[in-house]
Structure formats: structure tokens, C-alpha cells
Amino acid sequence: QVQLVESGGGLVQAGGSLRLSCAASGRTFSTWAKAWFRQAPGKEREFVSGISWSGTNTNYEDSVKGRFTVSRDNAKNTVYLQMNSLKPEDTAVYYCATARFYYGSTAEEYAYWGQGTQVTVSS
């Protein structure tokens, strides 16, 4: 059974930082590609960032480029999303997802999802 558990969300003021973590169970799935999505109230889920299984390749949604950084530590079965210069429009539930090789923006390509962690940015 694959399990992804996100943590690190919370309430932060605009301009602040948070680091999200996504812990994956199972040695095999821990090395799959990973991605972060988010969903704000009343909006569709949107892609934030993706990272290849090795961590060599990453991609980002335009609005977070230069502010967010995705990374992974396969020895710890964990993927991170460092979020700096947070804005109120970053407020959302953030989800971790995994796919065998894919780390792009199409949500349907991901096989497993975590339960999400709430990020709230106050102005």
C-alpha cells in the first residue's frame, strides 16, 4: 500500500516562509517521481512543482518560479517544497503526488496522492 503523508503547513504572514515535506512509504515508491499540487477554495487543483526520481530535473508553475524550490532525499523517502516570499494567493491545501516517471502538470498522470496540508498566508 502506497502512502504519502504531507506535513509542514500552517499559518504564515505574507513574505514569510514554510517548508512542506512529503514522506513516502515503501522503498520502491519512494524513488518514483513526485509533484506538488495545490487547491484553493472554489478553485481547481493546480500544479505547483515536479521533481524527477533522481532529483536532477525539476519544473515549476510560473507564479512560483524563483520563490519555491522542490528537492528530495531518497535516503529519507521524503520530498520537500521550500516556499519563500509567500503571498496571500498561495493560500491553499497542498498535495503531494507520485508517478513512476512523470513529473509534469497533468494531475491524471499521477497514481497516488496524499491527504494534503493546509497553507494559509495572511496579508
PDB file of all heavy atoms in Angstrom, residues 92-108:
ATOM      1  N   ALA A  92      -3.769  27.692   0.143  1.00  0.00           N
ATOM      2  CA  ALA A  92      -4.390  26.512  -0.481  1.00  0.00           C
ATOM      3  C   ALA A  92      -4.067  25.286   0.357  1.00  0.00           C
ATOM      4  O   ALA A  92      -3.218  25.336   1.253  1.00  0.00           O
ATOM      5  CB  ALA A  92      -3.867  26.317  -1.901  1.00  0.00           C
ATOM      6  N   VAL A  93      -4.725  24.196   0.014  1.00  0.00           N
ATOM      7  CA  VAL A  93      -4.295  22.887   0.502  1.00  0.00           C
ATOM      8  C   VAL A  93      -3.272  22.363  -0.495  1.00  0.00           C
ATOM      9  O   VAL A  93      -3.530  22.335  -1.703  1.00  0.00           O
ATOM     10  CB  VAL A  93      -5.474  21.905   0.621  1.00  0.00           C
ATOM     11  CG1 VAL A  93      -4.973  20.539   1.072  1.00  0.00           C
ATOM     12  CG2 VAL A  93      -6.506  22.442   1.608  1.00  0.00           C
ATOM     13  N   TYR A  94      -2.126  21.966   0.008  1.00  0.00           N
ATOM     14  CA  TYR A  94      -1.040  21.476  -0.834  1.00  0.00           C
ATOM     15  C   TYR A  94      -0.983  19.954  -0.764  1.00  0.00           C
ATOM     16  O   TYR A  94      -0.973  19.376   0.324  1.00  0.00           O
ATOM     17  CB  TYR A  94       0.287  22.084  -0.392  1.00  0.00           C
ATOM     18  CG  TYR A  94       0.453  23.509  -0.844  1.00  0.00           C
ATOM     19  CD1 TYR A  94      -0.311  24.524  -0.275  1.00  0.00           C
ATOM     20  CD2 TYR A  94       1.352  23.844  -1.855  1.00  0.00           C
ATOM     21  CE1 TYR A  94      -0.188  25.836  -0.702  1.00  0.00           C
ATOM     22  CE2 TYR A  94       1.487  25.154  -2.282  1.00  0.00           C
ATOM     23  CZ  TYR A  94       0.703  26.142  -1.702  1.00  0.00           C
ATOM     24  OH  TYR A  94       0.819  27.442  -2.128  1.00  0.00           O
ATOM     25  N   TYR A  95      -0.926  19.339  -1.953  1.00  0.00           N
ATOM     26  CA  TYR A  95      -0.938  17.892  -2.067  1.00  0.00           C
ATOM     27  C   TYR A  95       0.352  17.397  -2.701  1.00  0.00           C
ATOM     28  O   TYR A  95       0.871  18.002  -3.645  1.00  0.00           O
ATOM     29  CB  TYR A  95      -2.103  17.430  -2.937  1.00  0.00           C
ATOM     30  CG  TYR A  95      -3.467  17.762  -2.399  1.00  0.00           C
ATOM     31  CD1 TYR A  95      -4.097  18.953  -2.737  1.00  0.00           C
ATOM     32  CD2 TYR A  95      -4.140  16.873  -1.567  1.00  0.00           C
ATOM     33  CE1 TYR A  95      -5.352  19.264  -2.256  1.00  0.00           C
ATOM     34  CE2 TYR A  95      -5.396  17.166  -1.074  1.00  0.00           C
ATOM     35  CZ  TYR A  95      -5.993  18.363  -1.427  1.00  0.00           C
ATOM     36  OH  TYR A  95      -7.243  18.655  -0.939  1.00  0.00           O
ATOM     37  N   CYS A  96       0.799  16.267  -2.221  1.00  0.00           N
ATOM     38  CA  CYS A  96       1.918  15.559  -2.818  1.00  0.00           C
ATOM     39  C   CYS A  96       1.356  14.417  -3.669  1.00  0.00           C
ATOM     40  O   CYS A  96       0.364  13.783  -3.279  1.00  0.00           O
ATOM     41  CB  CYS A  96       2.809  15.006  -1.705  1.00  0.00           C
ATOM     42  SG  CYS A  96       4.215  14.063  -2.255  1.00  0.00           S
ATOM     43  N   ALA A  97       1.967  14.169  -4.819  1.00  0.00           N
ATOM     44  CA  ALA A  97       1.520  13.088  -5.695  1.00  0.00           C
ATOM     45  C   ALA A  97       2.740  12.379  -6.267  1.00  0.00           C
ATOM     46  O   ALA A  97       3.832  12.954  -6.331  1.00  0.00           O
ATOM     47  CB  ALA A  97       0.657  13.637  -6.816  1.00  0.00           C
ATOM     48  N   THR A  98       2.547  11.131  -6.704  1.00  0.00           N
ATOM     49  CA  THR A  98       3.666  10.379  -7.241  1.00  0.00           C
ATOM     50  C   THR A  98       3.283   9.602  -8.494  1.00  0.00           C
ATOM     51  O   THR A  98       2.135   9.153  -8.642  1.00  0.00           O
ATOM     52  CB  THR A  98       4.237   9.419  -6.173  1.00  0.00           C
ATOM     53  OG1 THR A  98       5.457   8.839  -6.650  1.00  0.00           O
ATOM     54  CG2 THR A  98       3.261   8.304  -5.821  1.00  0.00           C
ATOM     55  N   ALA A  99       4.228   9.494  -9.401  1.00  0.00           N
ATOM     56  CA  ALA A  99       4.074   8.718 -10.629  1.00  0.00           C
ATOM     57  C   ALA A  99       5.408   8.042 -10.913  1.00  0.00           C
ATOM     58  O   ALA A  99       6.449   8.509 -10.441  1.00  0.00           O
ATOM     59  CB  ALA A  99       3.680   9.624 -11.791  1.00  0.00           C
ATOM     60  N   ARG A 100       5.378   6.979 -11.710  1.00  0.00           N
ATOM     61  CA  ARG A 100       6.589   6.192 -11.936  1.00  0.00           C
ATOM     62  C   ARG A 100       7.723   7.052 -12.501  1.00  0.00           C
ATOM     63  O   ARG A 100       8.845   7.035 -11.991  1.00  0.00           O
ATOM     64  CB  ARG A 100       6.284   5.049 -12.902  1.00  0.00           C
ATOM     65  CG  ARG A 100       7.458   4.112 -13.125  1.00  0.00           C
ATOM     66  CD  ARG A 100       7.748   3.312 -11.875  1.00  0.00           C
ATOM     67  NE  ARG A 100       8.826   2.360 -12.069  1.00  0.00           N
ATOM     68  CZ  ARG A 100      10.101   2.631 -11.856  1.00  0.00           C
ATOM     69  NH1 ARG A 100      10.461   3.845 -11.463  1.00  0.00           N
ATOM     70  NH2 ARG A 100      11.008   1.705 -12.051  1.00  0.00           N
ATOM     71  N   PHE A 101       7.445   7.821 -13.538  1.00  0.00           N
ATOM     72  CA  PHE A 101       8.474   8.667 -14.144  1.00  0.00           C
ATOM     73  C   PHE A 101       8.010  10.105 -14.361  1.00  0.00           C
ATOM     74  O   PHE A 101       8.804  11.018 -14.404  1.00  0.00           O
ATOM     75  CB  PHE A 101       8.921   8.103 -15.496  1.00  0.00           C
ATOM     76  CG  PHE A 101       9.585   6.770 -15.411  1.00  0.00           C
ATOM     77  CD1 PHE A 101       8.952   5.637 -15.904  1.00  0.00           C
ATOM     78  CD2 PHE A 101      10.831   6.634 -14.830  1.00  0.00           C
ATOM     79  CE1 PHE A 101       9.560   4.401 -15.822  1.00  0.00           C
ATOM     80  CE2 PHE A 101      11.441   5.401 -14.736  1.00  0.00           C
ATOM     81  CZ  PHE A 101      10.814   4.279 -15.240  1.00  0.00           C
ATOM     82  N   TYR A 102       6.714  10.300 -14.504  1.00  0.00           N
ATOM     83  CA  TYR A 102       6.160  11.595 -14.889  1.00  0.00           C
ATOM     84  C   TYR A 102       6.235  12.593 -13.759  1.00  0.00           C
ATOM     85  O   TYR A 102       5.929  12.264 -12.605  1.00  0.00           O
ATOM     86  CB  TYR A 102       4.708  11.405 -15.313  1.00  0.00           C
ATOM     87  CG  TYR A 102       4.007  12.652 -15.794  1.00  0.00           C
ATOM     88  CD1 TYR A 102       4.244  13.149 -17.069  1.00  0.00           C
ATOM     89  CD2 TYR A 102       3.094  13.318 -14.982  1.00  0.00           C
ATOM     90  CE1 TYR A 102       3.601  14.289 -17.529  1.00  0.00           C
ATOM     91  CE2 TYR A 102       2.444  14.452 -15.421  1.00  0.00           C
ATOM     92  CZ  TYR A 102       2.705  14.941 -16.705  1.00  0.00           C
ATOM     93  OH  TYR A 102       2.070  16.068 -17.149  1.00  0.00           O
ATOM     94  N   TYR A 103       6.618  13.839 -14.063  1.00  0.00           N
ATOM     95  CA  TYR A 103       6.635  14.881 -13.037  1.00  0.00           C
ATOM     96  C   TYR A 103       6.134  16.202 -13.625  1.00  0.00           C
ATOM     97  O   TYR A 103       6.560  17.281 -13.209  1.00  0.00           O
ATOM     98  CB  TYR A 103       8.030  15.048 -12.406  1.00  0.00           C
ATOM     99  CG  TYR A 103       9.162  15.301 -13.381  1.00  0.00           C
ATOM    100  CD1 TYR A 103       9.637  16.576 -13.601  1.00  0.00           C
ATOM    101  CD2 TYR A 103       9.770  14.244 -14.050  1.00  0.00           C
ATOM    102  CE1 TYR A 103      10.680  16.812 -14.483  1.00  0.00           C
ATOM    103  CE2 TYR A 103      10.799  14.475 -14.937  1.00  0.00           C
ATOM    104  CZ  TYR A 103      11.257  15.745 -15.148  1.00  0.00           C
ATOM    105  OH  TYR A 103      12.288  15.977 -16.013  1.00  0.00           O
ATOM    106  N   GLY A 104       5.217  16.086 -14.580  1.00  0.00           N
ATOM    107  CA  GLY A 104       4.633  17.255 -15.211  1.00  0.00           C
ATOM    108  C   GLY A 104       3.366  17.725 -14.534  1.00  0.00           C
ATOM    109  O   GLY A 104       3.050  17.341 -13.401  1.00  0.00           O
ATOM    110  N   SER A 105       2.607  18.532 -15.261  1.00  0.00           N
ATOM    111  CA  SER A 105       1.487  19.264 -14.677  1.00  0.00           C
ATOM    112  C   SER A 105       0.122  18.594 -14.806  1.00  0.00           C
ATOM    113  O   SER A 105      -0.869  19.142 -14.317  1.00  0.00           O
ATOM    114  CB  SER A 105       1.419  20.655 -15.308  1.00  0.00           C
ATOM    115  OG  SER A 105       1.216  20.544 -16.707  1.00  0.00           O
ATOM    116  N   THR A 106       0.045  17.415 -15.434  1.00  0.00           N
ATOM    117  CA  THR A 106      -1.252  16.765 -15.633  1.00  0.00           C
ATOM    118  C   THR A 106      -1.585  15.869 -14.444  1.00  0.00           C
ATOM    119  O   THR A 106      -0.961  14.833 -14.244  1.00  0.00           O
ATOM    120  CB  THR A 106      -1.253  15.932 -16.926  1.00  0.00           C
ATOM    121  OG1 THR A 106      -0.926  16.782 -18.030  1.00  0.00           O
ATOM    122  CG2 THR A 106      -2.607  15.292 -17.156  1.00  0.00           C
ATOM    123  N   ALA A 107      -2.584  16.270 -13.692  1.00  0.00           N
ATOM    124  CA  ALA A 107      -2.904  15.553 -12.459  1.00  0.00           C
ATOM    125  C   ALA A 107      -3.290  14.096 -12.708  1.00  0.00           C
ATOM    126  O   ALA A 107      -2.988  13.218 -11.884  1.00  0.00           O
ATOM    127  CB  ALA A 107      -4.035  16.276 -11.734  1.00  0.00           C
ATOM    128  N   GLU A 108      -3.924  13.824 -13.844  1.00  0.00           N
ATOM    129  CA  GLU A 108      -4.395  12.465 -14.131  1.00  0.00           C
ATOM    130  C   GLU A 108      -3.253  11.472 -14.327  1.00  0.00           C
ATOM    131  O   GLU A 108      -3.464  10.260 -14.306  1.00  0.00           O
ATOM    132  CB  GLU A 108      -5.278  12.472 -15.376  1.00  0.00           C
ATOM    133  CG  GLU A 108      -6.625  13.169 -15.201  1.00  0.00           C
ATOM    134  CD  GLU A 108      -6.512  14.672 -15.207  1.00  0.00           C
ATOM    135  OE1 GLU A 108      -5.439  15.207 -15.579  1.00  0.00           O
ATOM    136  OE2 GLU A 108      -7.508  15.346 -14.840  1.00  0.00           O
TER     137      GLU A 108
END
